[in-house]
Amino acid sequence: MLMDEREIFKDQKFVASFAKLKPEQRHQDDQKPKPQNEEKKASRLFPDSTLFKSWGKTLSEEDQKEAQALFEKYGYNVFLSDRLPLNRSLPDTREAKCMSKKYPKELPSIAVVLIYLDEALSIIKRAIHSIVDRTPGHLLKEIILVDDNSSNDDLKKDLEVYVKSIEAQNPGLQIIIVKHTESLGLAQARNSGFRAATADVVAILDAHIEVHKEWAEPLLTRIKENRTVVVSPVFDRVNYYDLEVVRYPPSAHAFDWALWCMYESFRPEWYNHKDPSLPGTSPSVMGILVVDRKFLGEIGGLDGGMKVYGGENVELGIRIWLCGGSIEIIPCSKIAHIERRHKPYLPNLSLAVKRNALRAAEIWMDEYKSNVNLAWNIPIKDHGIDIGDVSERKSLREKLKCRPFKWYLDNVYPQLETWENIVAYGGNVDANRCIDQGPVPGHTPIAYECYYYGPQHTYYTSKGELYIGGIKSHKYNDNRCLADSGEDSVPDLYNCKEAVKKGMGILWSFTQGKELKNRKTKRCLEVMEHNLVIQNCTSQTWEIQNIIRSF
């Protein structure tokens, strides 16, 4: 039992016994002198730390310091993890119909690959323990640990000792440790695990997971039915602060044009079946995937040219669909996954994701590849970002006779907006002031010193709309349009459809280096004394950073 659970239990016993006392007895203890050595209640040393927002209220000051230091190092609660049993039980969060499903005994063998870089030892041990305990022994052929050049001492000898003890307890199970002599990033670490595997099926997982019971059988059954289907379990969230499991419903793994991952609803036909235990198709994979080992080799493994983190899973997802495979989420397979508060090995993820996104776009996205540039607000040409040599991957695409990316947009991910009407983008500048979305929530754009981050990203369409503060990647969302109500001198910023309903003018006449005039009110957007105003035109001019085509 954990420390704070003990305290709660003691408090409950005290309240129960206190309630039985007569009123005159309830305050007797108040008259007694307090013991000299009674412990003072520990003060909260880190009131702003998210680690302690709902956990650790009874920790001593010394324990708080240790817990916070470990949290800063790892991004999740290692202090608590080190005190939890390795074989802790997990709540069964599967859909009700999953409980009664039966799976064939004769299924493909599975190799489980765990990728890590300076992960906490107790977290890795618990992952291994859950895999061994909750995977049928006749199916689990090997566990492969891929160490992407960790520096933690306990991930050397201590981990090896633990691995040997697990092997001794499970004759026939092999646990392989693959060590990189330099950090190569997630894609190459996963490739190392894939190459070391010999089982029929490879499950590539993070090391900060715990598998639920019957996690493997539904995945292996689906792959046995169709070896070209790449499958993924449903991830439950493990809170980084208290390590409690939070149920997540089945969802598709999707992305935006910046190639950031996201959860998304399945296609409508999945919900029409009214059976949440059925597999659902998915545009991509989050990074945790289970696949026929030979099929993954046939389509080129993972792109070893991807760096550090991000984008490599979306690249693989697109490639699977374009090159003869498909992706499904299997609701009856559940894995509990810790969502870190931060990734200590890469404080700024955007740099790697941006670079990897441009690489994936160059190889797979054909005429739509410039949408990645738009999403990141970087020039289409001469952006100065080295995406590495892509010739080998382009040759692979030709060899596999993969479909064009337009097929993917039409048949796999029609929710993705194509942005074919965007003619210019970037910061919209008058002298040294940029149009800025202003305070959010709010509907009043402002003129602000140019810094060209998200709030100042603008997009001009062939229709004459001007989106401010970014652009939405999906058809089910609406952009925010610069608008003129015609009623005052203050410009407005509303979702485009809402602005039209309000009778506002959202279409603007604009030529590079000329005025920006509203077509409905015939008034111009201008800057007066550092303020953004709508007024009669005075020949004030604007420029937008990047031109896609003439307008």
Side-chain angles (χ1 to χ4, degrees):
M1 189 176 286
L2 305 181
M3 183 182 299
D4 36 1
E5 291 177 325
R6 283 201 303 265
E7 295 301 322
I8 292 169
F9 183 64
K10 287 197 301 186
D11 289 347
Q12 290 172 338
K13 288 177 65 178
F14 171 75
V15 169
S17 60
F18 185 80
K20 295 178 183 177
L21 295 176
K22 296 178 181 178
E24 62 271 18
Q25 294 176 311
R26 292 182 181 177
H27 301 286
Q28 286 180 359
D29 285 347
D30 292 345
Q31 314 306 319
K32 297 178 183 178
K34 301 292 183 186
Q36 293 296 316
N37 61 350
E38 186 178 80
E39 289 187 19
K40 286 171 53 180
K41 186 177 179 181
S43 59
R44 295 186 65 191
L45 299 182
F46 306 98
D48 297 327
S49 172
T50 56
L51 176 63
F52 296 103
K53 65 180 180 181
S54 60
W55 172 85
K57 291 181 173 58
T58 62
L59 290 184
S60 68
E61 292 182 7
E62 182 179 351
D63 285 347
Q64 289 180 59
K65 290 177 183 177
E66 181 183 351
Q68 179 65 19
L70 289 168
F71 174 55
E72 290 173 2
K73 180 177 180 180
Y74 291 99
Y76 48 69
N77 194 341
V78 176
F79 181 91
L80 175 57
S81 174
D82 290 346
R83 288 156 178 78
L84 285 175
L86 297 181
N87 63 341
R88 72 163 179 165
S89 61
L90 299 179
D92 195 337
T93 61
R94 293 174 296 170
E95 302 295 328
K97 282 192 174 182
C98 296
M99 314 298 186
S100 59
K101 287 186 183 289
K102 303 296 181 185
Y103 302 102
K105 185 173 183 181
E106 297 301 320
L107 288 169
S109 61
I110 187 169
V112 180
V113 177
L114 300 179
I115 308 297
Y116 60 94
L117 171 60
D118 286 331
E119 204 85 57
L121 178 60
S122 61
I123 292 290
I124 298 177
K125 284 182 175 182
R126 192 170 294 108
I128 295 171
H129 204 103
S130 73
I131 291 164
V132 173
D133 273 6
R134 297 171 185 147
T135 311
H138 72 285
L139 300 178
L140 181 61
K141 184 175 183 181
E142 56 211 357
I143 298 174
I144 300 163
L145 308 176
V146 182
D147 184 342
D148 194 27
N149 196 35
S150 297
S151 58
N152 292 358
D153 288 338
D154 60 0
L155 295 183
K156 298 169 186 174
K157 189 174 180 64
D158 291 352
L159 179 57
E160 290 173 5
V161 169
Y162 178 73
V163 163
K164 288 178 181 176
S165 71
I166 294 294
E167 287 182 318
Q169 297 167 31
N170 298 272
L173 173 64
Q174 186 176 18
I175 303 181
I176 303 164
I177 301 179
V178 177
K179 293 186 178 182
H180 290 173
T181 56
E182 61 179 312
S183 184
L184 301 177
L186 272 180
Q188 294 196 55
R190 287 169 177 154
N191 262 338
S192 294
F194 159 64
R195 285 192 293 265
T198 61
D200 301 320
V201 169
V202 180
I204 300 177
L205 314 178
D206 292 331
H208 42 274
I209 58 93
E210 295 163 77
V211 300
H212 287 259
K213 66 179 180 180
E214 277 194 336
W215 76 282
E217 292 92 318
L219 303 172
L220 296 174
T221 298
R222 187 69 187 102
I223 291 173
K224 183 179 181 180
E225 292 168 350
N226 183 350
R227 66 182 292 269
T228 68
V229 176
V230 178
V231 294
S232 178
V234 175
F235 315 143
D236 285 334
R237 187 186 80 221
V238 178
N239 295 331
Y240 64 84
Y241 49 91
D242 63 6
L243 302 186
E244 292 291 327
V245 176
V246 178
R247 180 186 180 276
Y248 269 19
S251 301
H253 299 172
F255 58 92
D256 60 18
W257 279 113
L259 271 55
W260 285 111
C261 295
M262 54 184 283
Y263 287 113
E264 193 173 75
S265 299
F266 290 124
R267 299 284 291 276
E269 51 266 30
W270 184 82
Y271 298 95
N272 293 339
H273 290 302
K274 297 183 179 179
D275 183 354
S277 71
L278 293 177
T281 58
S282 178
S284 188
V285 289
M286 283 285 190
I288 290 180
L289 66 144
V290 183
V291 57
D292 180 275
R293 179 175 59 85
K294 290 182 179 178
F295 175 69
L296 182 58
E298 290 164 9
I299 64 168
L302 286 97
D303 182 357
M306 294 288 182
K307 295 285 183 72
V308 189
Y309 175 92
E312 79 288 335
N313 50 331
V314 176
E315 184 277 336
L316 177 61
I318 293 170
R319 174 156 43 101
I320 289 166
W321 279 106
L322 294 183
C323 303
S326 60
I327 301 170
E328 292 180 0
I329 308 302
I330 309 298
C332 290
S333 174
K334 281 295 195 91
I335 286 182
H337 175 264
I338 299 176
E339 293 191 3
R340 292 182 193 259
R341 182 67 175 84
H342 55 271
K343 296 185 187 298
Y345 55 85
L346 189 65
N348 185 0
L349 293 176
S350 66
L351 298 176
V353 177
K354 182 191 304 183
R355 182 260 180 204
N356 291 346
L358 289 169
R359 179 180 173 87
E362 179 62 33
I363 299 167
W364 298 105
M365 293 185 180
D366 305 327
E367 68 268 30
Y368 298 95
K369 64 184 180 181
S370 60
N371 285 359
V372 173
N373 301 66
L374 269 69
W376 285 100
N377 194 40
I378 56 179
I380 292 174
K381 294 182 179 179
D382 303 323
H383 50 65
I385 298 172
D386 181 10
I387 64 172
D389 183 6
V390 297
S391 58
E392 183 270 333
R393 304 309 283 184
K394 286 189 172 184
S395 296
L396 173 69
R397 180 177 179 176
E398 291 180 11
K399 174 186 172 185
L400 295 175
K401 295 181 172 54
C402 302
R403 298 181 175 102
F405 189 68
K406 182 147 191 337
W407 176 90
Y408 178 84
L409 292 176
D410 291 342
N411 296 279
V412 178
Y413 204 7
Q415 300 98 313
L416 207 56
E417 182 60 72
T418 59
W419 291 354
E420 291 170 291
N421 66 335
I422 303 297
V423 295
Y425 66 101
N428 208 304
V429 189
D430 170 79
N432 293 319
R433 311 291 287 186
C434 278
I435 302 175
D436 189 296
Q437 70 180 3
V440 177
H443 298 283
T444 306
I446 61 174
Y448 198 81
E449 182 179 345
C450 296
Y451 57 88
Y452 302 120
Y453 289 125
Q456 294 183 352
H457 290 178
T458 62
Y459 300 82
Y460 189 60
T461 74
S462 56
K463 288 172 57 180
E465 298 162 320
L466 192 63
Y467 307 146
I468 308 296
I471 186 172
K472 304 298 185 184
S473 293
H474 300 92
K475 294 175 182 176
Y476 49 74
N477 289 324
D478 196 9
N479 293 294
R480 301 183 81 204
C481 275
L482 181 70
D484 180 9
S485 67
E487 298 175 354
D488 52 34
S489 62
V490 179
D492 296 287
L493 189 60
Y494 281 90
N495 285 348
C496 302
K497 292 177 183 176
E498 184 180 358
V500 170
K501 285 182 181 179
K502 291 177 178 289
M504 296 178 171
I506 65 168
L507 302 182
W508 300 82
S509 294
F510 171 61
T511 302
Q512 184 80 318
K514 299 290 182 65
E515 63 189 13
L516 185 58
K517 179 186 278 190
N518 190 277
R519 295 179 188 174
K520 182 176 182 179
T521 66
K522 309 303 181 186
R523 302 195 301 173
C524 283
L525 183 76
E526 298 188 345
V527 177
M528 297 293 293
E529 297 180 354
H530 298 323
N531 294 316
L532 205 58
V533 298
I534 300 259
Q535 61 184 16
N536 292 330
C537 303
T538 65
S539 301
Q540 204 170 103
T541 63
W542 293 89
E543 290 189 359
I544 195 164
Q545 282 178 296
N546 302 299
I547 306 295
I548 299 174
R549 60 181 184 270
S550 59
F551 55 90

